[in-house]
Amino acid sequence: MSEPKITITIDDQEYKVNSGQMLIEATDQLGIHIPRFCYHEKLSIAANCRMCLVEVENSTNALPACATEVSEGMVVKTTSESAELAQQATMEFLLINHPLDCPICDQGGECELQDLAYSHGRNESRFEVKKRTLPDDNLGPLISTDMTRCILCTRCVRFGTEIAGLPELGTIGRGESSTISTFVEKTVDHELSGNMIDICPVGALNNKPYRYTDRTWELDQIESVSPHDCVGSNMFLHVKGDKIKRIVPKANPEINEVWISDRDRFAFDGIYSDDRLTVPMLRKNGVLEEATWEEAIDAFSKVLITLQNKKSKNGVAALISSSTALNEQYLYAYLMRSLGFNNIDHRIRQIDFTGDSLDPIFPNFDIKPHQIENMKSILIIGSDLRKETPLIAHWVKKAADQGASVNFINQEYSEYYFPIDNFILSGQEALAENLALVLKASNDDAVNKLPSHIEDVLNALPTPSLSHYQIAKSLANHEQSFLLSGLLCHSHSEYALIRSYLNLLSYVSNSSFGELTHGANATGAYLTGCIPHRKAFGESHELGLNALEMCTKNHQLIVLYGIEPEDCLYQEKLNQSIVGSQTTVQFSPFITPFMKENADIMFPLKTPYESKGAFINASGMIQDFNLQLDLAKDNPSNQELLLQIIEGSKLPMPSLDNLKEKIKKFIDETKNTHNRLLEIPEKVLKTTKNYSSVSSHLYDVDSITRRSRPLQQTKDALSQFSEDQ
Amino acid sequence: MMHENSICFSNINQPESWKIENYMASGGYLQWKKILQGQPGDKARQKIVEIIKTSGLRGRGGAGFPTGLKWSFMPKTTEQKYLVCNSDESEPGTCHDREILKLNPHAVIEGMAIAGFAMDATVGYNYVRGEFIKDCYPIVEFALQEAYTHNLLGKNILGSGVNFDLYNFLGAGAYICGEETGLLESLEGKQGKPRFKPPFPAKFGVYGMPTTVNNTQTLASVPKIIEQGTEWYKSMGTDKSPGTNIFSVTGHVNKPGNYELPLGIPFADLLERAGGMLDNKKLKAVIPGGLSTKVLPGDVIADCTMDYESLASAGSALGTGAVVVIAEGTCMVELLKRSSRFYYVENCGQCTPCREGTGWLYRLLQKITQGKGQESDLTLLVDVANRIEGNTICAFGDAAAWPVQSFIEHYYSEFEYMINNHGKSIAA
């Protein structure tokens, strides 16, 4: 959509700009800098800081560039005497009550107020009376407050109202006694709250765990990708020496806009946990002892070679985390497959595997995250969306705020801060049926009719309710419609059936379909063959045991790569399997008492924060991360470790050359050729139903998050703890 | 013969003038009924707007914007439109709207009904100052009920097909809510923080819908103007300031009070009506239009007539018509300090210059009156005021700056004297 261009003059030069935008948007695009505090491109306009005042011809007063719409023939002076005088006036007013404690302020060096004070401030203050001070609020474990530094730009307030949808902070009081506050003392708990730290232009809201630890100008900035969910939020790691100090968002308009979730921001603290494993461990004479890398690799290789030569190759169980980097997944699958071990899986939070043969090449997510915003009708099934993927919830909120009809079919009710049209609260046992009823309602007047044998299945169901019809109608009436299946579906005992229904519904209603997956790289796990039913690149293969089957058996060897039993939905089963198996090998960044007791060989892993690799997010977007920190001197990288084990196992060395490119090409080729399976296979329909309650915990998704001290002190984590008691 | 009490105060000397039967006995609601019983369509609306335009009525809230023109800004669309009466009278020195609300509330209601009809606004709100809760608000509420009982408000009024529902709304005691967009925010239940304009209320008002905000006195003038005609109205006042205005005369006069008089009367006459100077003291200064207008020295105001043009050319403004008379012997430094404290306490705190600057002004004046002032403080005071003026979202910043600028301009020597004499006033 190209808007008509109009001509305006800025600082004696003519420019063509789009009509309908504010002056500051135009100057930002043109690279002309106008100072500002309250203006933020993602927030509504407040025009309260008065820093962006500029001279506009035919206006007696200076006008705020953030709230002045461009118009044909407008003549603007951003640096004229009157503009500068107005800006200097604002700066002086802002500084009179500001503590000017830059030397001890964490914002120092990256402070918008400090920067502009250099260009627009006076050398010395004319304000001789006592400065205003304000008490600080305790906003919880993530955000520190120094309210005396606050310049009342209200960005944080608008963030709460407009982005989070939960107005946790507001302005109270009048005039000079105005303050930003929660009003009734409480913590700030929204899962995106950490972004307030970034948008605060001064040091009033700061990163609490990072507080007083370092000066920002001593930090290096490294691009990275969040390893905690399937969204793949882009972020910057701020590193000093070998230590990550903090994390901030990196803008990616297709994935995470300019935000990251608190989990993305604060989870990294977990890698500095006390139970970090830094040296290999080997059980000698019944005691797990420190060993050299050679010893450990040698011991593991020997076990592998021995088992390879045995007949019962099924005696090996190989589990791997879905948050493992692509190259590691590939090598791990290569190692196991080459030795003839077929029991390999990453789906440790899935219990229904009856649909495996119908699995797409990799879990589908037809659109990119940002395209959710354009959807006009969205049906979310089986998802605690805000906790599973805070950023996907953000995009859904944006769609809802723009009038999209958002509907849920869910086991439990959680609070959403956007309008919801229909919320069908359904027990575990009725989740699939409720979805089927929407399908039935959709089929009634669909263009794409279902095959008659499926209609027969639907006809056996009760009559859909008004809500089912409304959802069906909304999906049918909007070209931009989207079905989103959440992690609770994934862990549901009728997962395969639900997915079949979703495929059918997607066909009938002509909707896009997206499936959230556990971990940061489930897509990669599918593509590299970390599943029992396929090899890399979707090649079919002799069927091995799935994760649940592996966990319900004892083995000659069980290998856990990047996972802890706590990550597993059936932790108890896995624990028993570990105890009952002959040899247990764990690759892990951490060592737990249970594993110390039961593991025979342990290899320290570098976390995704410390290593090099790539994740493929739910939408099939491959993203690199590359920060190679020295965990302990001379430790090999995860990739080197796997290669050494492959070498020790006397296998030909695999080529990692162009792996990423090959996978990308493969994704591009297969993504759009995928046909919706218009079938509900008999065995899927006849699943034995064994419902167990599953809930998603925001801060218990992986070993790192579990160990993050700030996250574990949040209300979310604490309330989960009390739930578990 | 000077016209006195011809419009808003025309019936206030009758007993129980606030009651509907008394208002009606003197011709009240006749104009409204005539409109309803005529052909209440777009032509009739247009006619009313034309009458108000021709009459030259200017808004009495302080800015003096032509009322008919303001009405014509309302879009001619079918969307919900609102009319709001600004009865949040809180400009220091001003007390005439209170009198109107107490003694002639039905003129406001009839004026609102007519104005609402003229702009096709079917809902009206009368935003009444919080402090009026005891003496005014019950009367306004009573009058509203009376109007409803007489079927003069509501749906399909008197079978005409015209709808107009009116609600009274009590503020919570903030000066800034008298600013029209601050008032709208407050009316919506939010903090009274003025909105940035544009968009103006005619485009984006209450609940985002087209809204016109008029002052109480303005709206109360409407029925009389329609009854008596524009020629009659324009026979009073001056060319550019036609009609009457209620002057709230306060300060050092013998008979402080509200005087409804034609605009353009000489200041000397107004002073005489107010009983002349208290204790026959000499006139020192006058703040002619509420605290937010610039002060004029006695000899300057003596030559002025009380209308928009004359006071503007003298360097001040008619404002709300609240005339604060100041006699010789008054300490202008103390007076300015007291004035500045008002703006320091009453600003909304939303935008930087008022929030930070008004406190600075007040504290500098405090410092001077405490005898700790320096000569440079006077330059600083004016500089700070200049830096507030024109840089804020609403006109509050200007209102806070003008007293400082004008007091120091006209009475520099008094400030200087106090600074040089450790806080001793020249006036004492």
Side-chain angles (χ1 to χ4, degrees):
Chain A
M1 195 176 70
S2 76
E3 289 172 69
K5 292 266 184 181
I6 55 169
T7 309
I8 63 171
T9 308
I10 306 171
D11 298 334
D12 302 324
Q13 203 173 332
E14 279 193 5
Y15 297 96
K16 291 265 183 206
V17 297
N18 289 330
S19 65
Q21 61 181 344
M22 294 301 164
L23 186 53
I24 204 164
E25 295 175 75
T27 54
D28 278 358
Q29 281 159 17
L30 295 166
I32 300 165
H33 183 69
I34 295 176
R36 85 287 304 268
F37 294 112
C38 69
Y39 173 78
H40 188 283
E41 53 167 350
K42 298 290 179 195
L43 303 175
S44 67
I45 290 161
N48 64 25
C49 77
R50 319 309 285 174
M51 194 61 212
C52 66
L53 292 172
V54 292
E55 184 185 333
V56 178
E57 213 171 78
N58 298 328
S59 165
T60 37
N61 293 338
L63 295 179
C66 70
T68 303
E69 199 177 319
V70 293
S71 59
E72 180 63 44
M74 181 183 254
V75 179
V76 182
K77 292 192 170 105
T78 66
T79 52
S80 67
E81 204 186 322
S82 77
E84 295 222 319
L85 200 69
Q87 292 167 9
Q88 283 163 9
T90 299
M91 181 47 77
E92 181 171 27
F93 286 134
L94 285 174
L95 291 182
I96 59 171
N97 277 309
H98 187 81
L100 299 173
D101 57 346
C102 310
I104 58 140
C105 175
D106 277 331
Q107 195 83 1
E110 55 174 10
C111 176
E112 293 170 52
L113 186 67
Q114 192 182 33
D115 292 348
L116 291 176
Y118 279 109
S119 52
H120 294 77
R122 301 173 67 90
N123 283 338
E124 48 190 70
S125 176
R126 300 192 288 178
F127 186 72
E128 292 171 343
V129 285
K130 206 169 160 185
K131 289 185 185 237
R132 172 186 63 220
T133 57
L134 290 168
D136 294 327
D137 282 351
N138 181 3
L139 301 184
L142 308 181
I143 303 173
S144 68
T145 59
D146 292 274
M147 298 319 290
T148 303
R149 295 177 188 147
C150 176
I151 58 169
L152 284 148
C153 70
T154 69
R155 277 188 193 174
C156 55
V157 176
R158 284 174 284 147
F159 176 87
T161 316
E162 295 158 21
I163 307 295
L166 177 65
E168 296 185 285
L169 294 175
T171 49
I172 58 168
R174 194 169 69 188
E176 209 181 74
S177 33
S178 300
T179 47
I180 302 289
S181 169
T182 52
F183 193 56
V184 174
E185 192 172 335
K186 69 177 277 295
T187 53
V188 164
D189 302 316
H190 194 274
E191 64 279 357
L192 298 175
S193 68
N195 293 297
M196 291 186 210
I197 297 164
D198 304 323
I199 57 171
C200 179
V202 296
L205 302 180
N206 257 321
N207 188 317
K208 206 171 204 173
Y210 169 74
R211 190 170 167 85
Y212 297 146
T213 57
D214 273 284
R215 303 312 323 226
T216 51
W217 54 87
E218 296 177 338
L219 305 177
D220 289 326
Q221 175 163 287
I222 317 282
E223 289 176 21
S224 194
V225 182
S226 165
H228 302 292
D229 61 31
C230 62
V231 180
S233 293
N234 290 194
M235 52 198 204
F236 284 118
L237 310 182
H238 285 178
V239 179
K240 186 179 175 188
D242 265 344
K243 196 149 187 214
I244 301 170
K245 293 295 185 175
R246 64 170 183 181
I247 289 176
V248 297
K250 175 176 181 268
N252 185 330
E254 292 188 334
I255 297 176
N256 55 312
E257 234 179 346
V258 296
W259 320 113
I260 53 174
S261 67
D262 290 354
R263 190 164 63 194
D264 300 335
R265 187 186 303 264
F266 295 106
F268 82 92
D269 180 74
I271 71 174
Y272 300 113
S273 159
D274 290 340
D275 61 353
R276 194 69 202 264
L277 181 65
T278 51
V279 288
M281 307 287 278
L282 195 59
R283 192 166 297 278
K284 292 175 194 162
N285 307 321
V287 185
L288 196 67
E289 291 175 0
E290 288 190 8
T292 65
W293 286 92
E294 289 74 23
E295 278 177 314
I297 292 168
D298 202 41
F300 185 39
S301 303
K302 272 192 186 132
V303 177
L304 291 173
I305 291 169
T306 319
L307 289 169
Q308 181 194 18
N309 295 329
K310 281 206 175 156
K311 278 202 177 139
S312 60
K313 286 174 185 166
N314 273 345
V316 178
L319 294 168
I320 181 168
S321 156
S322 55
S323 295
T324 310
L326 201 58
N327 49 338
E328 294 169 49
Q329 287 173 337
Y330 182 78
L331 291 175
Y332 187 73
Y334 173 85
L335 172 71
M336 296 301 169
R337 299 279 189 202
S338 305
L339 293 165
F341 308 147
N342 290 326
N343 306 332
I344 173 168
D345 210 346
H346 70 280
R347 299 168 298 171
I348 52 171
R349 295 190 68 81
Q350 186 174 326
I351 43 180
D352 177 17
F353 298 91
T354 51
D356 278 8
S357 59
L358 314 172
D359 268 353
I361 300 298
F362 54 91
N364 285 295
F365 208 101
D366 298 335
I367 54 177
K368 289 180 176 174
H370 75 288
Q371 288 169 317
I372 296 173
E373 184 183 353
N374 305 327
M375 294 296 145
K376 297 285 175 274
S377 174
I378 300 174
L379 170 62
I380 299 163
I381 169 155
S383 176
D384 193 352
L385 195 61
R386 282 176 47 219
K387 294 190 178 184
E388 291 172 5
T389 48
L391 264 304
I392 297 292
H394 166 68
W395 289 113
V396 171
K397 178 179 184 296
K398 285 192 94 172
D401 288 347
Q402 289 167 44
S405 158
V406 178
N407 303 285
F408 277 88
I409 302 177
N410 233 352
Q411 293 99 306
E412 49 191 71
Y413 184 78
S414 356
E415 215 167 343
Y416 289 94
Y417 305 114
F418 50 76
I420 294 172
D421 276 358
N422 292 285
F423 196 106
I424 299 179
L425 191 62
S426 137
Q428 288 265 354
E429 60 292 342
L431 195 67
E433 183 175 298
N434 271 305
L435 180 58
L437 289 173
V438 173
L439 178 61
K440 187 176 178 180
S442 295
N443 193 46
D444 281 359
D445 36 26
V447 185
N448 302 338
K449 281 275 183 194
L450 290 171
S452 61
H453 65 283
I454 291 173
E455 284 189 333
D456 292 344
V457 173
L458 296 177
N459 286 339
L461 295 170
T463 315
S465 74
L466 182 64
S467 293
H468 298 115
Y469 274 108
Q470 280 174 347
I471 296 173
K473 201 163 184 182
S474 158
L475 291 171
N477 286 351
H478 294 103
E479 207 170 300
Q480 303 280 56
S481 55
F482 181 54
L483 310 175
L484 180 65
S485 112
L487 298 183
L488 296 178
C489 279
H490 221 274
S491 303
H492 195 274
S493 50
E494 287 175 307
Y495 167 58
L497 181 61
I498 292 171
R499 204 176 57 187
S500 292
Y501 283 144
L502 280 168
N503 272 328
L504 295 167
L505 183 57
S506 154
Y507 167 77
V508 170
S509 63
N510 203 10
S511 305
S512 311
F513 173 39
E515 187 180 353
L516 298 179
T517 45
H518 291 283
N521 200 15
T523 311
Y526 266 85
L527 288 165
T528 52
C530 292
I531 39 172
H533 49 301
R534 281 187 208 136
K535 289 205 320 187
F537 297 100
E539 243 180 276
S540 58
H541 193 265
E542 191 187 331
L543 188 68
L545 299 177
N546 61 49
L548 180 59
E549 288 166 340
M550 282 188 244
C551 291
T552 40
K553 276 194 173 131
N554 294 340
H555 309 272
Q556 281 163 306
L557 169 66
I558 182 162
V559 187
L560 309 176
Y561 191 95
I563 57 179
E564 295 184 322
E566 289 83 348
D567 295 333
C568 185
L569 190 60
Y570 18 92
Q571 183 190 348
E572 278 312 308
K573 288 195 175 77
L574 177 54
N575 281 347
Q576 281 170 25
S577 175
I578 290 170
V579 173
S581 291
Q582 213 160 32
T583 309
T584 301
V585 178
Q586 192 195 20
F587 293 73
S588 173
F590 308 102
I591 179 163
T592 62
F594 176 81
M595 291 313 292
K596 201 168 184 177
E597 187 86 4
N598 293 289
D600 298 293
I601 309 173
M602 292 194 76
F603 292 101
L605 278 188
K606 291 189 173 183
T607 65
Y609 287 105
E610 300 150 311
S611 51
K612 177 184 173 177
F615 289 141
I616 309 176
N617 76 357
S619 297
M621 301 159 83
I622 304 187
Q623 303 190 95
D624 287 324
F625 54 91
N626 183 5
L627 173 60
Q628 297 168 63
L629 294 182
D630 260 341
L631 174 64
K633 265 215 153 41
D634 307 326
N635 272 9
S637 71
N638 299 345
Q639 178 175 320
E640 280 161 8
L641 171 62
L642 283 166
L643 285 170
Q644 284 175 30
I645 293 168
I646 289 168
E647 195 183 5
S649 308
K650 311 270 186 290
L651 292 172
M653 291 306 274
S655 159
L656 284 170
D657 292 349
N658 303 325
L659 173 67
K660 227 175 54 191
E661 288 69 25
K662 281 186 219 156
I663 286 185
K664 189 176 181 329
K665 192 161 164 264
F666 184 74
I667 290 176
D668 292 343
E669 283 165 6
T670 43
K671 194 166 168 104
N672 297 324
T673 59
H674 161 78
N675 287 325
R676 299 271 179 261
L677 265 172
L678 298 182
E679 274 308 327
I680 312 175
E682 200 67 4
K683 71 167 178 184
V684 167
L685 257 179
K686 298 269 168 350
T687 347
T688 19
K689 293 164 178 96
N690 178 20
Y691 303 104
S692 56
S693 129
V694 181
S695 50
S696 46
H697 291 141
L698 189 54
Y699 300 136
D700 188 18
V701 292
D702 52 42
S703 56
I704 302 172
T705 318
R706 262 198 301 281
R707 286 173 173 81
S708 162
R709 287 161 299 179
L711 290 183
Q712 292 311 317
Q713 288 159 22
T714 57
K715 196 176 161 196
D716 247 298
L718 295 174
S719 61
Q720 180 205 327
F721 181 70
S722 59
E723 229 170 73
D724 291 348
Q725 288 301 294
Chain B
M1 170 64 200
M2 179 78 74
H3 301 269
E4 195 175 349
N5 293 350
S6 358
I7 299 180
C8 297
F9 279 179
S10 59
N11 59 344
I12 60 165
N13 292 322
Q14 294 168 14
E16 298 189 315
S17 61
W18 61 88
K19 287 199 169 159
I20 196 164
E21 57 264 29
N22 297 331
Y23 180 68
M24 284 167 118
S26 51
Y29 286 117
L30 264 181
Q31 303 313 310
W32 179 224
K33 283 181 188 162
K34 254 191 212 167
I35 291 166
L36 295 171
Q37 284 151 6
Q39 282 178 318
D42 285 344
K43 258 192 180 162
R45 299 181 202 284
Q46 195 55 39
K47 207 178 136 196
I48 297 168
V49 176
E50 278 313 312
I51 291 173
I52 299 302
K53 267 190 185 169
T54 318
S55 75
L57 173 65
R58 295 171 68 164
R60 298 288 188 251
F65 193 81
T67 306
L69 189 59
K70 197 176 197 176
W71 289 9
S72 67
F73 289 156
M74 284 288 264
K76 309 276 179 292
T77 50
T78 53
E79 62 199 315
Q80 177 66 54
K81 295 187 272 285
Y82 295 97
L83 170 70
V84 175
C85 174
N86 186 346
S87 298
D88 189 36
E89 179 182 54
S90 35
E91 180 64 28
T94 321
C95 49
H96 43 60
D97 293 347
R98 181 167 83 175
E99 295 295 287
I100 297 172
L101 293 172
K102 271 168 77 170
L103 299 172
N104 199 7
H106 285 290
V108 181
I109 294 173
E110 188 180 5
M112 285 190 76
I114 295 171
F117 168 74
M119 288 177 276
D120 192 24
T122 54
V123 176
Y125 294 102
N126 187 11
Y127 187 105
V128 182
R129 180 181 177 177
E131 287 86 339
F132 291 175
I133 185 166
K134 274 193 181 155
D135 61 346
C136 251
Y137 198 70
I139 295 177
V140 178
E141 273 289 276
F142 178 75
L144 185 66
Q145 293 318 316
E146 281 186 321
Y148 267 102
T149 317
H150 283 76
N151 296 320
L152 293 164
L153 296 172
K155 302 275 184 309
N156 190 17
I157 306 166
L158 302 178
S160 62
V162 174
N163 302 329
F164 187 72
D165 277 303
L166 181 56
Y167 304 90
N168 290 319
F169 182 95
L170 192 66
Y175 172 67
I176 194 61
C177 292
E179 199 279 346
E180 64 175 2
T181 54
L183 183 148
L184 296 180
E185 288 281 302
S186 170
L187 190 58
E188 290 180 9
K190 303 174 189 158
Q191 288 172 319
K193 292 183 172 173
R195 299 173 182 168
F196 181 78
K197 295 161 287 271
F200 289 93
K203 198 175 163 204
F204 189 93
V206 192
Y207 312 121
M209 306 311 284
T211 303
T212 292
V213 185
N214 284 137
N215 161 265
T216 316
Q217 191 184 154
T218 315
L219 287 166
S221 306
V222 169
K224 213 60 173 182
I225 294 173
I226 296 192
E227 177 191 308
Q228 301 286 340
T230 54
E231 285 314 309
W232 170 82
Y233 187 73
K234 289 193 325 194
S235 72
M236 298 177 285
T238 69
D239 267 2
K240 286 185 177 165
S241 309
T244 65
N245 186 47
I246 307 175
F247 296 98
S248 301
V249 187
T250 58
H252 299 133
V253 291
N254 283 314
K255 277 168 60 191
N258 288 310
Y259 299 90
E260 184 176 29
L261 295 164
L263 284 157
I265 66 155
F267 170 76
D269 289 6
L270 180 65
L271 186 58
E272 199 189 313
R273 296 242 168 195
M277 293 299 294
L278 190 67
D279 302 334
N280 283 322
K281 279 190 183 165
K282 197 172 163 250
L283 178 68
K284 181 174 187 177
V286 169
I287 304 172
L291 193 62
S292 304
T293 54
K294 292 185 173 182
V295 69
L296 293 175
D299 54 339
V300 176
I301 189 100
D303 299 333
C304 287
T305 53
M306 298 304 287
D307 51 65
Y308 294 101
E309 314 85 82
S310 168
L311 290 170
S313 61
S316 188
L318 180 68
T320 61
V323 184
V324 183
V325 179
I326 301 158
E328 278 300 346
T330 310
C331 174
M332 298 307 269
V333 188
E334 286 289 350
L335 183 56
L336 179 62
K337 187 187 83 174
R338 183 62 190 82
S339 306
S340 285
R341 184 174 181 280
F342 178 79
Y343 297 103
Y344 159 57
V345 173
E346 288 291 346
N347 81 83
C348 80
Q350 173 182 210
C351 64
T352 311
C354 288
R355 183 181 66 239
E356 308 292 343
T358 54
W360 196 359
L361 291 175
Y362 172 61
R363 290 193 179 88
L364 278 170
L365 287 158
Q366 223 177 7
K367 186 181 154 197
I368 294 171
T369 56
Q370 285 165 355
K372 298 173 196 157
Q374 295 156 288
E375 190 88 33
S376 61
D377 288 339
L378 295 179
T379 329
L380 184 56
L381 267 172
V382 176
D383 199 30
V384 171
N386 289 346
R387 284 170 172 231
I388 299 174
E389 185 189 5
N391 286 344
T392 51
I393 288 180
C394 73
F396 185 100
D398 301 348
W402 289 338
V404 174
Q405 293 164 341
S406 60
F407 272 66
I408 295 181
E409 181 193 338
H410 295 302
Y411 301 97
Y412 191 89
S413 58
E414 281 195 35
F415 288 84
E416 207 177 24
Y417 181 89
M418 188 177 274
I419 285 166
N420 293 336
N421 292 279
H422 310 291
K424 189 167 172 288
S425 172
I426 198 169

